Amino acid sequence: METLSKGQRLPLANLVPDGVLQVGVAAQGLALDVACFGLDGAGKLSDERYMTFFNQPRTPCGGVEARAAGGQGGDMAEFALQLARLPAGIDRLVVTASIDGGGVMSQLQAGHVRLQAGGRELARFAFAGLDFAQEKAVMLAELYRKDGGWRCMAVGQGFNGGLDALVRHFGGEVDQAASAAPAAASAVMQAKINLEKRVEREAPQLVSLVKQAGVSLQKVGLLDHRAKVCLCLDISGSMGRLYKEGQVQRFAERILALGCKFDDDGEIDVFLFGKNVHHPAPMALSNCNTYVGQAIQRHPLEGDTRYGAAMQAIRAFYFPDGAGGERTRPVAAELPVYVMFVTDGGTSDQATTEKQLRWASHEPIFWQFMGIGKGRKSKSKFLAAFADSDFPFLEKLDELQGRLVDNANYFSVSSPDEHSDAELYDLLMTEYPGWLKLARGKGLLM
């Protein structure tokens, strides 16, 4: 491990040839909000989606992802980097920290930013209050392109104005109407406004869907709620007609609209499962018009259906420390994950699925199962009494014993477009608000 001093530079080509590494940040004595700014060649935040922080935890390309570090190595926060995935227009990544609440940086007892890869610490830059005065924010470290490779520099430069000052310094916009609010809240509000403009410009067919999702969220007090959204789609052969007729595409757009209310990056994660599990690029405003058709071209329909394998892959993606394996103690995160799980048949790995759901109950993931078939049994208030369900195993999962919290809900439909937009969004919020309260009570949400 190399100990870095302020201003020292470190080439990364030999240390991490694949460009996959983690940047961890720790601090004692002050509560800090950590962010990573992806800047262009002029040192500006030319694309707001490349400001990565607790409320926008992933860049569109997946090259930067903010994670709760869980105390590993003393870190309070971590950025997982895949430098090869960053677009050519992103020349620099600047890791910053700003004070959450009152205080100044001189009150900081101790802190560090460190690089690690493959479970090995590569370098560390230590800092403390003695390095600062009345600053409210600080640039900690910078990763930048040089001579065809990446380098890291220890920075340690303070800013008096907090996160707002950093955003302006990098050429971003801060909502003046919300200047009295905390800096992070101002940035979030501006990001929301930017997203609304992007929806109108890039995917106008979603405008009414986004508004309707907002109406349903307002009914349950979640209009300002933040969450990651994941769509998990069955690609077994029996789903062929639904894909061919465009029903899955239309349903996916409705879930993307929900994602636009829960998050401000304009995209949702997608997993496909049949015999195997596939994780294509996110469905975003920029690619949503033809997303499902293109995904099926790359990953044709398969035989078999394995819920458990898909659930394991999703858990490993959001909480890689457990790799989708057994979990018996709660793990906390700042943002919950809402999984929309769509299938038209049973699964061949029932035992594995039950284990996955039990283990996942210790993680901040909510599983909304939707079965597509003739049965229409649901716990929804407006779908009160129906014929026997075509999905007895999904019903069993809905009532599964041995979980830390009830982390799943199930309903079935005759087709993905059976319900109006208003009915669907109300249905999707049947049990999620209650799960949020349980999750907070069990320490799953920070």
Side-chain angles (χ1 to χ4, degrees):
M1 181 194 76
E2 184 161 353
T3 301
L4 302 178
S5 57
K6 186 174 180 179
Q8 185 175 347
R9 291 166 168 81
L10 178 68
L12 299 178
N14 293 331
L15 294 174
V16 281
D18 59 358
V20 177
L21 70 158
Q22 298 80 44
V23 178
V25 178
Q28 298 177 19
L30 285 173
L32 299 180
D33 287 327
V34 182
C36 179
F37 291 83
L39 309 178
D40 59 21
K44 298 301 181 182
L45 184 67
S46 55
D47 188 335
E48 301 93 341
R49 297 176 298 168
Y50 282 84
M51 176 183 173
T52 310
F53 63 121
F54 71 92
N55 217 34
Q56 185 167 277
R58 190 169 181 269
T59 59
C61 64
V64 182
E65 183 175 356
R67 298 173 178 171
Q72 298 179 11
D75 299 342
M76 65 179 186
E78 176 183 280
F79 294 101
L81 307 182
Q82 298 183 61
L83 300 177
R85 299 184 69 171
L86 291 169
I90 300 298
D91 279 358
R92 299 165 56 193
L93 297 176
V94 180
V95 178
T96 70
S98 57
I99 295 176
D100 180 12
V104 292
M105 284 292 176
S106 61
Q107 297 172 311
L108 189 69
Q109 296 174 8
H112 69 247
V113 56
R114 66 187 187 121
L115 307 183
Q116 54 182 336
R120 181 171 62 94
E121 185 167 341
L122 307 176
R124 179 182 293 233
F125 169 50
F127 54 90
L130 295 175
D131 301 321
F132 309 105
Q134 301 302 304
E135 295 94 338
K136 292 281 191 178
V138 60
M139 287 197 301
L140 296 174
E142 177 181 327
L143 283 78
Y144 62 98
R145 298 182 193 264
K146 179 72 173 180
D147 299 329
W150 284 87
R151 298 186 181 187
C152 176
M153 180 175 69
V155 181
Q157 177 183 342
F159 279 77
N160 288 331
L163 182 60
D164 277 352
L166 286 171
V167 173
R168 292 190 182 95
H169 175 76
F170 294 131
E173 298 181 4
V174 177
D175 186 8
Q176 298 300 318
S179 59
S186 298
V188 170
M189 185 173 296
Q190 184 61 42
K192 280 179 152 183
I193 295 172
N194 291 336
L195 179 61
E196 291 175 0
K197 293 178 180 178
R198 286 183 55 214
V199 172
E200 294 176 357
R201 182 176 65 252
E202 299 178 32
Q205 76 275 17
L206 299 186
V207 171
S208 62
L209 291 174
V210 172
K211 290 181 179 178
Q212 187 57 62
V215 172
S216 294
L217 294 178
Q218 189 170 25
K219 290 180 183 178
V220 293
L222 296 181
L223 187 58
D224 295 322
H225 175 65
R226 316 303 294 165
K228 302 176 185 179
V229 175
C230 173
L231 176 61
C232 186
L233 294 174
D234 185 343
I235 58 168
S236 59
S238 57
M239 290 280 293
R241 180 182 61 83
L242 298 176
Y243 282 104
K244 184 177 181 179
E245 294 178 352
Q247 294 190 51
V248 178
Q249 168 68 31
R250 292 192 294 273
F251 184 82
E253 291 180 0
R254 296 162 97 181
I255 301 305
L256 176 59
L258 177 65
C260 288
K261 295 304 297 184
F262 273 168
D263 209 341
D264 51 31
D265 60 1
E267 65 180 38
I268 58 174
D269 297 310
V270 177
F271 285 78
L272 310 174
F273 72 99
K275 179 180 180 180
N276 303 299
V277 181
H278 309 280
H279 183 197
M283 182 179 187
L285 295 176
S286 59
N287 65 9
C288 66
N289 292 337
T290 58
Y291 182 87
V292 170
Q294 292 183 355
I296 294 302
Q297 281 186 346
R298 289 190 294 269
H299 306 288
L301 302 183
E302 303 174 353
D304 204 357
T305 307
R306 299 179 181 178
Y307 299 174
M311 295 173 71
Q312 181 178 16
I314 291 170
R315 293 180 56 227
F317 174 69
Y318 288 109
F319 301 100
D321 62 310
E326 182 176 4
R327 177 93 67 181
T328 58
R329 294 183 178 181
V331 59
E334 292 179 341
L335 293 181
V337 182
Y338 185 102
V339 178
M340 184 71 233
F341 197 104
V342 179
T343 181
D344 75 334
T347 181
S348 63
D349 62 354
Q350 291 191 4
T352 299
T353 302
E354 291 182 21
K355 290 179 181 178
Q356 287 293 321
L357 191 59
R358 289 191 179 99
W359 295 339
S361 71
H362 295 84
E363 299 164 343
I365 305 181
F366 180 80
W367 304 85
Q368 177 60 72
F369 294 99
M370 183 178 80
I372 305 173
K374 295 180 180 179
R376 299 178 56 211
K377 191 168 183 179
S378 171
K379 294 189 293 184
S380 166
K381 293 180 180 178
F382 54 85
L383 297 176
F386 301 93
D388 291 339
S389 173
D390 284 347
F391 300 93
F393 183 64
L394 285 179
E395 283 194 14
K396 179 181 179 181
L397 293 181
D398 197 6
E399 305 294 340
L400 190 66
Q401 300 299 308
R403 293 176 288 169
L404 179 65
V405 294
D406 182 354
N407 59 340
N409 186 34
Y410 153 70
F411 65 89
S412 63
V413 294
S414 59
S415 66
D417 55 6
E418 174 181 346
H419 299 299
S420 68
D421 298 331
E423 290 173 339
L424 176 65
Y425 291 128
D426 284 351
L427 188 54
L428 297 183
M429 291 300 110
T430 302
E431 291 197 5
Y432 180 64
W435 171 81
L436 287 172
K437 295 179 181 178
L438 294 174
R440 292 189 185 100
K442 294 295 185 179
L444 301 180
L445 293 173
M446 297 179 181

